[in-house]
Amino acid sequence: MNIESLKLKKISALWIIVILVLFIASIVLGILMRLNQGKVIEQSPLTFYTNMTTHGLTMIGIWFAAGMVAVNYLLQRYVKTSYGVNLFAFILTVIGVVMLWITTYAGKFSTGWTFLYPLPFRDLGSESWSTPLFLISLTVLGVGWLVWSVSLMAQILKKYTLSQAFAWQHFKSNASVETPPFILITTVTLIGVIASLIAAVIVIILYFAEYFSHGDFVNDALLMKNLIYFFGHTIANEMLYLGLAVIYEIFGEVSDRPKWKMTWYISLAWNCAMIFILTAFFHHLYMDFVQPQALQIVGQLASYLASIPSAAVTVFSIVAAVYGVKVRWSIVNLLFFLGVAGWVIGGLGAVIDATISNNIMLHNTLWVPAHFHTYNAMGNVLFSLGFFYWFSTQYVDKLVLSKLTKYTLALLIIGGIGFLMAFYVAGANSIPRRYSTYPVELTSGPYLAKVGALFASIYLIAILIFFYNIAKRCFVILSASSR
Amino acid sequence: MQQNSIMLFFMLLVGIGTIFFVSIFMSSLNADKDSTGVKNLLKKRFWFTLILIVVLGIFAAATLPKSPYFTFANETPSTVIHVGTMQFSFFLSTKPIDPKSPSGETIEIPHDQLVEFRVTSFDVNHGFAVYDPSMRLITQVQAMPGYVNNLRYKFTEPGKYHIFCLEFCGTGHPVMQATFKVI
């Protein structure tokens, strides 16, 4: 094993352990929030909202990083990637997360992950230093991830021209160079990631400009909302696509099925997906009636259109690879397959909510966390867990589907469905999201919160078992020598 | 009630989706060793995509005209209510509200008549969500500093209506509420 490849394995193993530890901590925060809403425990509103802010920001950060770790690792098959940049991103992510947790727990910063302007300047109960520290922590994370994304993109463009990276040559009948689907999806996704991070940089600059102007410069609330959702929606969406790139790359080989080759329709689908993903964020602003109506309509159409390439190419391909064919099932492809199902079902909930005439009944009710938890907790997380298993077992162990693994998967599914259903039913019952406790009039809120907490605890048990299995193998990789 | 229809429709889709994925998985478990799977993949993919585009097109055409920006757009409201919001209160008034010393009044709205809420915020983003007497969310709009969002609605049922804030605005967010009467 050469030193370069061992270094990449070790840093990937380290990422995985840190991500899973933060994941478990964030799930616990989520359960505490639901228990508080269910009146099983009693937290102050400030504690609840610091937990909520920490939970949201950490979850988005770690699952974005998880996708990047997987893509960076697999990209090594095609191009050389920089170990130094990977390590740099790791160090900045750890520093950024520590600063973030100091901001929320010591500084009581509690604006939610959306930190909608101008709430960070009027965050009641927080320390005055928490807002600048929060912005600095976002800067640290943003710099680490931007450098990482640009570095991976640059490495791809050293081997492929831009049009080849987009697989445009596959629109002709005889392409001279074949672009692997993994390269195309990674390119499309990294462009979205870089665009969203640039929006984050603009938001941070605008916040700092107002902070240091002492009232001379005031931001525009509508522009800030557009920028924040362009950043937040896009990065949360792109992390799913990082997971899909991984599935395209390794689903075939772990299932004893042929690897997907690039075709004109895969190229077309992902090129279209790039545009739709970048314009779908407008659906977050449907209830801001002052937003130009054309953008509202673009929001609904882009949200609908984004589902077409996903369903017609990715989901269809995975279904076709499995239907009526003997597949070597293991925990890895089972997690991928289950994740695709979760992604599709969450997508259905999302398309319903992205319909403006429905959104007026569902906006900022628990329907929203219902659908995004579906395609994250039962979609994207499973994509990454599948990768983590594949990564950790390929050097240490064999992939076997033991009874314990099957029971753990069953716990994950039961826990996942239960805690998501509590969200969906509450959303349909008009229960608002982000309420630390519910007004007495909203009678079903506390009851459904208790149900959610119970099933989320079952989900947590499954994650703890997965964590044990993955982390113990990652520790073996970390202690491996190059000999 | 629209939410019940949405939930029913969603559960129907989830049911179909679950049966679909389970049957795909079972077909793999029960497959012969030499089975080659789906034939004529490109043709099937074409039809699947076409059906999806048509279904989504029908949905978009049916739902977009029902967007709140277009409802009651050509009618003149008989009542105008000014709504000012700030951490963690709503001010409702038939007269414009002074942001420096905001105050509200008891509001009664006649049923079956068009009302326009002119909603703004004096500090951070808030939500203005109207719940009917059975505590069902019936309409909403955001309250944004520096902007006025106009929300039009025709109440058909007399009774006590609640207003809740549906945009996270700080620690007092869940206690930010108000009521009005439809007569």
Side-chain angles (χ1 to χ4, degrees):
Chain A
M1 195 182 291
N2 72 49
I3 289 179
E4 280 304 306
S5 116
L6 183 67
K7 273 162 56 181
L8 181 64
K9 273 166 206 148
K10 286 193 173 194
I11 189 75
S12 303
L14 193 59
W15 269 111
I16 290 170
I17 294 167
V18 171
I19 286 166
L20 286 176
V21 168
L22 286 171
F23 183 41
I24 290 163
S26 302
I27 295 176
V28 171
L29 293 180
I31 293 172
L32 288 176
M33 282 154 60
R34 291 302 264 159
L35 286 174
N36 193 64
Q37 290 170 328
K39 296 180 181 165
V40 179
I41 60 168
E42 202 174 313
Q43 293 177 324
S44 71
L46 193 58
T47 306
F48 178 91
Y49 289 118
T50 50
N51 285 344
M52 184 187 84
T53 306
T54 314
H55 171 89
L57 284 163
T58 309
M59 286 293 197
I60 289 182
I62 58 173
W63 293 112
F64 167 71
M68 288 291 283
V69 170
V71 159
N72 190 154
Y73 186 78
L74 291 167
L75 202 54
Q76 200 71 9
R77 291 178 167 187
Y78 302 100
V79 299
K80 190 175 159 26
T81 61
S82 164
Y83 168 76
V85 170
N86 194 324
L87 182 65
F88 174 76
F90 178 78
I91 293 167
L92 260 61
T93 302
V94 170
I95 295 171
V97 169
V98 170
M99 285 168 73
L100 207 62
W101 282 54
I102 292 171
T103 310
T104 52
Y105 285 112
K108 298 290 171 200
F109 186 83
S110 52
T111 65
W113 79 262
T114 44
F115 59 102
L116 278 186
Y117 173 83
L119 189 57
F121 295 142
R122 292 166 181 266
D123 185 22
L124 304 177
S126 68
E127 301 289 341
S128 57
W129 52 263
S130 69
T131 295
L133 188 65
F134 170 74
L135 295 173
I136 293 167
S137 69
L138 279 194
T139 309
V140 171
L141 290 169
V143 167
W145 296 345
L146 196 56
V147 169
W148 198 8
S149 308
V150 170
S151 159
L152 294 184
M153 194 68 235
Q155 295 303 329
I156 290 174
L157 293 178
K158 271 187 193 165
K159 180 166 175 184
Y160 303 92
T161 64
L162 190 62
S163 70
Q164 285 170 351
F166 281 127
W168 288 343
Q169 77 277 21
H170 288 273
F171 293 138
K172 291 183 214 150
S173 55
N174 48 352
S176 52
V177 178
E178 192 190 325
T179 308
F182 178 76
I183 294 292
L184 166 67
I185 302 166
T186 303
T187 303
V188 162
T189 310
L190 286 175
I191 286 174
V193 168
I194 292 166
S196 75
L197 291 173
I198 290 171
V201 170
I202 297 170
V203 168
I204 292 167
I205 291 171
L206 289 173
Y207 260 118
F208 270 126
E210 182 165 336
Y211 183 78
F212 288 116
S213 79
H214 302 292
D216 293 340
F217 172 74
V218 177
N219 277 295
D220 180 276
L222 185 61
L223 174 68
M224 289 295 267
K225 207 175 203 178
N226 273 285
L227 282 169
I228 286 171
Y229 280 120
F230 177 76
F231 151 66
H233 172 84
T234 308
I235 200 158
N237 211 191
E238 297 291 2
M239 66 191 191
L240 253 156
Y241 290 89
L242 291 171
L244 289 179
V246 173
I247 293 183
Y248 268 85
E249 184 62 22
I250 61 175
F251 189 86
E253 65 190 65
V254 296
S255 310
D256 269 348
R257 298 285 294 143
K259 194 169 182 171
W260 287 297
K261 288 212 177 329
M262 180 60 74
T263 57
W264 65 267
Y265 53 82
I266 292 182
S267 169
L268 179 67
W270 282 96
N271 277 276
C272 290
M274 179 172 68
I275 297 159
F276 302 147
I277 295 164
L278 291 177
T279 45
F281 81 95
F282 287 124
H283 61 219
H284 287 269
L285 287 103
Y286 286 159
M287 294 302 109
D288 292 283
F289 291 5
V290 285
Q291 174 94 326
Q293 280 174 9
L295 298 183
Q296 309 285 27
I297 292 164
V298 166
Q300 178 166 337
L301 294 179
S303 307
Y304 277 29
L305 288 168
S307 67
I308 295 171
S310 304
V313 175
T314 306
V315 177
F316 192 95
S317 296
I318 288 163
V319 164
V322 171
Y323 182 71
V325 187
K326 203 85 199 156
V327 168
R328 186 181 63 192
W329 287 106
S330 66
I331 181 70
V332 175
N333 50 10
L334 265 179
L335 282 167
F336 286 160
F337 189 73
L338 197 58
V340 169
W343 175 47
V344 169
I345 289 169
L348 293 169
V351 167
I352 287 173
D353 192 27
T355 305
I356 303 169
S357 56
N358 291 336
N359 189 258
I360 196 160
M361 304 294 168
L362 300 175
H363 185 78
N364 281 348
T365 68
L366 284 172
W367 189 275
V368 183
H371 74 68
F372 73 67
H373 277 89
T374 311
Y375 54 67
N376 283 321
M378 292 304 282
N380 191 32
V381 168
L382 307 198
F383 298 164
S384 287
L385 283 179
F387 170 78
F388 293 171
Y389 257 105
W390 174 83
F391 169 82
S392 66
T393 49
Q394 61 174 334
Y395 308 106
V396 181
D397 230 333
K398 278 198 173 150
L399 275 174
V400 280
L401 202 52
S402 66
K403 260 195 176 160
L404 177 67
T405 313
K406 285 181 190 166
Y407 291 142
T408 314
L409 265 180
L411 280 181
L412 187 88
I413 296 169
I414 293 165
I417 291 174
F419 109 86
L420 292 169
M421 279 312 294
F423 271 150
Y424 280 111
V425 174
N429 270 338
S430 307
I431 307 296
R433 71 188 287 208
R434 294 176 171 151
Y435 270 31
S436 54
T437 49
Y438 295 113
V440 284
E441 294 88 354
L442 299 172
T443 45
S444 64
Y447 169 72
L448 289 165
K450 272 186 264 193
V451 174
L454 174 71
F455 280 95
S457 305
I458 297 172
Y459 180 89
L460 175 62
I461 294 169
I463 295 297
L464 284 170
I465 298 169
F466 283 143
F467 169 70
Y468 172 75
N469 284 327
I470 294 167
K472 72 175 182 193
R473 297 187 181 108
C474 284
F475 277 117
V476 174
I477 295 170
L478 276 177
S479 58
S481 71
S482 58
R483 277 175 292 138
Chain B
M1 279 176 281
Q2 198 177 334
Q3 285 94 332
N4 287 350
S5 320
I6 290 171
M7 189 67 193
L8 206 64
F9 178 59
F10 175 66
M11 288 314 294
L12 185 73
L13 292 177
V14 171
I16 294 169
T18 308
I19 292 168
F20 175 74
F21 277 102
V22 169
S23 61
I24 298 291
F25 180 64
M26 295 309 288
S27 78
S28 163
L29 289 185
N30 301 328
D32 296 333
K33 259 195 167 169
D34 2 287
S35 166
T36 49
V38 194
K39 303 270 183 319
N40 289 329
L41 213 54
L42 195 59
K43 206 171 161 187
K44 289 193 172 77
R45 195 189 293 270
F46 170 77
W47 283 109
F48 173 70
T49 312
L50 193 67
I51 291 166
L52 192 63
I53 291 171
V54 170
V55 168
L56 285 171
I58 292 169
F59 264 81
T63 58
L64 275 171
K66 291 181 183 163
S67 301
Y69 330 116
F70 311 126
T71 33
F72 311 117
N74 299 324
E75 294 178 44
T76 311
S78 60
T79 312
V80 171
I81 308 288
H82 299 267
V83 181
T85 57
M86 59 192 292
Q87 289 170 320
F88 301 100
S89 309
F90 289 101
F91 301 97
L92 278 77
S93 174
T94 48
K95 295 182 275 299
I97 300 166
D98 179 7
K100 282 177 190 144
S101 57
S103 64
E105 58 191 90
T106 307
I107 296 293
E108 291 189 341
I109 297 168
H111 72 281
D112 288 331
Q113 288 189 25
L114 187 61
V115 57
E116 180 172 282
F117 297 98
R118 296 183 183 167
V119 184
T120 191
S121 168
F122 303 135
D123 46 29
V124 300
N125 285 281
H126 296 280
F128 175 79
V130 181
Y131 282 63
D132 71 8
S134 68
M135 297 312 288
R136 179 75 59 173
L137 172 58
I138 51 169
T139 191
Q140 65 168 310
V141 76
Q142 291 267 303
M144 183 181 269
Y147 290 90
V148 179
N149 282 316
N150 296 336
L151 172 70
R152 291 182 173 189
Y153 199 80
K154 214 177 260 183
F155 295 94
T156 51
E157 295 289 321
K160 187 179 172 186
Y161 287 69
H162 280 79
I163 302 162
F164 290 114
C165 177
L166 250 61
E167 185 59 73
F168 178 61
C169 59
T171 47
H173 174 55
V175 297
M176 183 167 161
Q177 51 177 291
T179 56
F180 64 85
K181 261 189 187 163
V182 172
I183 49 172

